[in-house]
Each structure stands twice: as C-alpha cells, then as structure tokens.
Amino acid sequence: MKTADLKSRLAGSEFDAALAVNYKKEDIELQKARYIRIAESFEELYGADRDVQVFSAPGRTEVCGNHTDHNHGIVLAASVNLDAVAVAGKNDENIVRVKSEGYKMDVCDLSDLGVMPAERGKSASLVRGVCAGFKNRGYNIGGFDAATASDVLSGSGLSSSAAFEVLLGTMLNYLYNDGKISPVEIAQIAQFAENEYFGKPCGLMDQMACSVGGFVMIDFKDPSQPVINKLSFDFGSCGHALCIVDTGGNHADLTDEYAAVRGEMETVASKFGKAVLRDVDKAEFEKNISVVRDSAGDRAVLRAMHFYNENIRVAKQAEALGAGDFEAFKALVIESGASSYMYNQNVYTCKAPSDQPVSLALAICQDILKGKGAWRVHGGGFAGTIQAFVPMEVLDEFKSKICAVFGEKSCYVLNIRPEGGIKVI
C-alpha cells in the first residue's frame, strides 16, 4: 500500500473496525489522526510513493510477579491500549533506519551486527540487537525504513523499551518472514537485544506481555519454552478502573539497582548450587536462612523470600480471577505491593533516600482506597509508576487527588488490549 493510499483510507472509515480491536471506541478518530501523522513523517523522511505497512506493539502492565521472571518465576501481566506504532517499508540498501518521534534517527548497517559498546543504553543498540537476534536464529533480515511514534510513557513501568523491541521484531517478521515467527520467539529476541546489546539484565516478562497480548499468566520455569495461559477475566465487568500513576521518577541511573535485585536472588540460588531461585526448593531455603544471610546478606535473603511468596500469590490471583472473586484478587494485589516494599525493597533507591515519589503515591492511594480498592508498585520500581485498581465511584476523587500532587497528566486510566505485536492494516 502506498503512503498516499494509506492516508486516504485512514481518513475514511475502512480501518475503523481493525483499530477498534485494540483502542477505546472514543479514541478511534485520535488514533487515525496519529497514524496519518506517522505516515506523513515517513514521507518527509524517506519520500512519497513508497510501499508501506503499518505495525503496532503495546505497552504492558504487570499485575503480579514483581521481579520474579529473571529467576524463572511466574507472573501475571497484560498488554494495554498505549502502544508504539510504525509505518515501514523495505529498502534494498541492507540498512535499517528507524526515526522515532522526538528522537534522532537510528541507523544500522546489517553487514555489521556485532555489539557496539558506544551504543550501550541507546535505542540504536536495540535495533542492532533485534536484527542480530533474527539472524542468529536463521531468520531473514533486510533493510527497511520506518517512522515510529509511541504513547507508552518512557520510564513509566509500562515497558516502552519492550514495546519498541517487539515493534522492531514485528516489522522484521512481516517484512521479511511472512509473519511466521511466533510472539514467543519475538519476545525472546527482544530480551536478547536488551540484555546483550542495550546492557540491561531484564527478565522476559516485559517482552512476552507486549508480544503475546491480552491478560496472561506466564510460567518462566523454562524460559526457552515459557508456559502461557491466557485468562478470560473481563476487567470491564468488575466495577473498577485500572490506573497507572506516573510519579515523575527517572529510571535513567537505576540499571545497577535493577541488576542488584536479580543478582542478589541469584547469589542466594548459588549457595544451593543452582543458577536461579526457581530451582531451589523453598523449604530447603527456609531451613538454611541463617547460613545464607552470613554470606549473601540480609537483603538478598529478603528478596528471595519475596520471590517464593510472589510465585504463590500469582497462582492465587489467577484462581481468584477464574472464580470471579475480585475482592480476593485485590487483597492479593495489596499483599504483593507490601512484599515489594518490605522484602524486595524496590520502592525507592538508597542512592537518594529523600526522593521517594513512589512511596508518596502509595501512601496517597492507601488513604483514598483502603477498604475499597488496591495499590502496588508497578514494574521495575525505584522510580516511575504505581498501579491501582480504583472503584468507579471514587475514580474522580482518586484522579483529582493524585493529579494535585503529581501533575495534571499523571493518572492514566487504561484498557486491557487483546492483541500483542501486530501488523495493523
């Protein structure tokens, strides 16, 4: 499809039904205008009259399983209606160019897919890493040009980086591999790019939730073959809104904090001759706490305790949702948040103990929602966002009080998106 044809058809109603699958009905016109804007950006960057395709990859919200995936734990997560979108077309130059709205263009020569130390921590490393991941697995790669835009908040805990990685993988999947690569493999390639090229030792949960889509329970006991169970619970029927509060914290200097969570859990596992905590029996760990704390430290022991109990909570939450018991589900959300705060200790960074926006947001949530809703730290923690399940009758009050502290656009009311990384049109 030519860019001119794409814009013309978007201006009409032909694609409304396709867009309505993943966006709120009241947002369709805004999304159409957004897609047209990205197509126009593509034309300005790469020229008009190009054959293009349109792709989307969602952000994600973690529901339970905070910091457990990297030690082969179990998580509940869901894709959301905030996404990264691309208009892309092949080129015959063996070069990938990706221009994201608000950022400089990333350029990757496919003849050199080695790790570039100078790209560490930059989006260019993700472009190179995803292309390398495809090539390593024997899949086709080739040059393409893309214009992208994302409304997945950077540093928000909604996984803007995973959405970008999955978007890149989705483009390569359809442009050069006929869409035959599974969402699971795309997620694994995305994680490879973030671990090996970007330099962040993340687990697989973010990429998997963005790639697979919907509301999912994922067991990472064997990360090469994660067990994915899609849950059919309808959040729209429970009388609550899913809110993400952006506290304004910055993740930029926190990679070492995230790495320490994983590293300390793995240090505990190593005391039992294992690589990850999932392979260490909980009873065996509990029997040897006094020995482990002497060599690994108290915080490592507490983080291990969080890991084991969080895995149990995930199963209980899935059971509660399956039974339609939203009150039990909310109680477990609060319990998960308390565990993250006290045991996993990822609500604020010890580097700046006077700067605690996440702690403050949780305190405000408790004041408003105690006995009514639920609240917890969201995603990696230390800065960024919290998650709240807010009864509809107090939603206006909740938004008003939160926005008075953290800013007019700090509270996002989200929908669960049924699809992951896709070719939209």
Side-chain angles (χ1 to χ4, degrees):
M1 185 188 314
K2 304 292 186 184
T3 51
D5 189 30
L6 171 63
K7 292 190 295 179
S8 175
R9 294 163 75 178
L10 279 166
S13 60
E14 180 178 351
F15 298 138
D16 288 15
L19 295 173
V21 173
N22 290 310
Y23 301 109
K24 296 178 183 178
K25 184 178 180 180
E26 60 269 26
D27 291 341
I28 296 300
E29 291 304 317
L30 290 173
Q31 291 297 334
K32 288 162 65 174
R34 178 183 178 223
Y35 278 53
I36 290 171
R37 185 184 77 241
I38 299 168
E40 289 174 341
S41 176
F42 182 95
E43 290 177 331
E44 291 172 6
L45 291 163
Y46 309 116
D49 201 37
R50 291 276 299 274
D51 286 314
V52 295
Q53 298 180 45
V54 183
F55 305 93
S56 165
R60 71 96 182 99
T61 183
E62 167 201 283
V63 180
C64 193
N66 191 234
H67 275 288
T68 63
D69 58 326
H70 47 57
N71 267 255
H72 300 190
I74 311 171
V75 303
L76 284 180
S79 55
V80 298
N81 55 299
L82 301 179
D83 66 345
V85 173
V87 173
K90 291 182 178 182
N91 66 47
D92 57 4
E93 303 170 67
N94 208 40
I95 290 175
V96 173
R97 302 180 186 87
V98 180
K99 175 63 172 70
S100 299
E101 198 170 70
Y103 298 90
K104 69 180 184 66
M105 184 180 292
D106 295 317
V107 180
C108 174
D109 186 335
L110 297 179
S111 65
D112 186 358
L113 293 179
V115 175
M116 302 287 185
E119 291 180 348
R120 288 277 188 179
K122 300 176 181 178
S123 59
S125 68
L126 298 176
V127 178
R128 196 176 306 276
V130 169
C131 292
F134 269 70
K135 186 175 182 180
N136 292 347
R137 289 173 178 249
Y139 293 123
N140 298 325
I141 60 173
F144 65 89
D145 300 316
T148 84
S150 177
D151 57 12
V152 185
L153 302 171
S154 179
S156 68
L158 295 172
S159 294
S160 59
S161 59
F164 181 66
E165 295 154 14
V166 170
L167 183 68
L168 292 168
T170 303
M171 286 189 276
L172 280 172
N173 189 20
Y174 284 96
L175 289 172
Y176 285 101
N177 294 278
D178 299 320
K180 67 184 180 185
I181 304 171
S182 74
V184 170
E185 270 201 277
I186 289 176
Q188 291 167 334
I189 291 169
Q191 183 202 24
F192 163 80
E194 187 153 349
N195 288 175
E196 303 301 326
Y197 283 69
F198 188 85
K200 183 176 178 180
C202 66
L204 187 55
M205 192 253 311
D206 295 353
Q207 291 83 0
M208 194 67 73
C210 294
S211 187
V212 173
F215 190 57
V216 291
M217 178 178 175
I218 312 171
D219 187 337
F220 291 109
K221 185 173 178 61
D222 179 359
S224 67
Q225 294 182 307
V227 178
I228 302 166
N229 180 24
K230 279 208 172 193
L231 305 180
S232 59
F233 183 81
D234 178 14
F235 269 113
S237 67
C238 68
H240 288 66
L242 168 58
C243 295
I244 297 297
V245 176
D246 181 7
T247 68
N250 192 329
H251 285 188
D253 298 318
L254 295 174
T255 296
D256 58 337
E257 294 275 25
Y258 301 129
V261 176
R262 176 178 184 168
E264 288 178 14
M265 288 183 182
E266 291 174 351
T267 296
V268 172
S270 72
K271 304 305 175 184
F272 298 88
K274 305 294 183 181
V276 293
L277 280 176
R278 185 65 179 276
D279 293 336
V280 179
D281 181 70
K282 182 174 184 282
E284 187 70 13
F285 159 74
E286 291 172 341
K287 238 179 9 179
N288 290 279
I289 284 178
S290 63
V291 176
V292 174
R293 69 184 290 243
D294 286 342
S295 54
D298 290 339
R299 190 173 70 171
V301 169
L302 288 165
R303 284 174 164 168
M305 292 171 69
H306 166 79
F307 172 87
Y308 288 115
N309 292 326
E310 193 78 338
N311 274 352
I312 294 169
R313 270 187 291 271
V314 168
K316 288 181 177 179
Q317 281 194 339
E319 183 179 345
L321 291 176
D325 189 349
F326 201 66
E327 292 304 308
F329 168 80
K330 288 191 296 181
L332 290 161
V333 169
I334 295 170
E335 191 178 296
S336 171
S339 179
S340 291
Y341 208 150
M342 293 189 294
Y343 302 135
N344 205 41
Q345 299 182 32
N346 64 317
V347 169
Y348 65 91
T349 172
C350 294
K351 293 177 179 178
S354 64
D355 186 13
Q356 297 193 36
V358 173
S359 307
L360 178 58
L362 292 171
I364 294 170
C365 284
Q366 181 171 340
D367 183 56
I368 302 169
L369 299 177
K370 189 174 182 179
K372 302 172 186 175
W375 58 95
R376 67 192 285 275
V377 66
H378 182 249
F382 298 109
T385 61
I386 65 165
Q387 178 189 74
F389 295 92
V390 183
M392 297 305 296
E393 61 268 22
V394 298
L395 180 59
D396 288 343
E397 175 195 357
F398 179 83
K399 290 172 64 177
S400 176
K401 289 183 176 180
I402 286 292
C403 292
V405 176
F406 296 104
E408 184 181 353
K409 296 182 179 180
S410 58
C411 184
Y412 293 82
V413 182
L414 303 180
N415 280 3
I416 303 300
R417 163 173 161 151
E419 297 181 318
I422 56 168
K423 184 167 86 167
V424 182
I425 297 166

